[in-house]
């Protein structure tokens, strides 16, 4: 356990940040699952709409440093490819 006042404060801040990061990560995963579900259902319009929302959430999380930019780009690229493949 932290003994000094600044160590106690850092422990509190770390816990708050951990919870916020976990919530952000969970939200991104939820939106990615929604896109995959729309793709699985075969509805391209719904998939495109879900993809736009997921892209927004993923970009926001990336700007805040929760995800590496390459990871976000990889997710977006793969999802977009799946959506485009539906049209063909």
């Amino acid at each position: 356990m932290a003994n000094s006042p600044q160590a106690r404060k850092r422990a509190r801040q770390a816990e708050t940040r951990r919870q916020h990061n976990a919530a952000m990560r969970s939200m991104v995963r939820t939106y990615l699952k929604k896109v995959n579900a729309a793709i699985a259902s075969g509805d391209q319009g719904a998939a495109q709409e879900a993809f736009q929302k997921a892209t927004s959430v993923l970009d926001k999380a990336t700007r805040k440093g929760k995800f590496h930019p390459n990871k976000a780009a990889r997710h977006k690229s793969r999802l977009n490819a799946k959506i485009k493949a539906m049209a063909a």
Side-chain angles (χ1 to χ4, degrees):
M1 183 61 204
N3 290 322
S4 64
Q6 66 263 33
R8 280 194 288 269
K9 180 178 179 179
R10 285 313 251 159
R12 284 195 311 269
Q13 289 175 331
E15 179 60 19
T16 301
R17 288 193 179 105
R18 185 191 68 78
Q19 289 177 354
H20 184 262
N21 293 346
M24 183 74 78
R25 238 184 348 263
S26 176
M27 184 169 60
V28 168
R29 288 181 188 145
T30 300
Y31 276 92
L32 293 178
K33 284 178 190 174
K34 287 180 182 181
V35 177
N36 283 319
I39 290 170
S41 73
D43 186 358
Q44 189 177 11
Q48 188 65 41
E49 191 174 317
F51 175 70
Q52 287 176 346
K53 289 179 184 175
T55 300
S56 174
V57 171
L58 192 56
D59 286 340
K60 182 178 179 184
T62 302
R63 276 195 309 275
K64 305 242 181 229
K66 309 304 178 222
F67 290 99
H68 193 279
N70 290 359
K71 178 175 179 160
R74 183 175 65 242
H75 276 293
K76 291 189 292 187
S77 175
R78 288 179 182 173
L79 288 173
N80 199 27
K82 286 181 185 178
I83 291 171
K84 288 189 177 196
M86 293 171 71

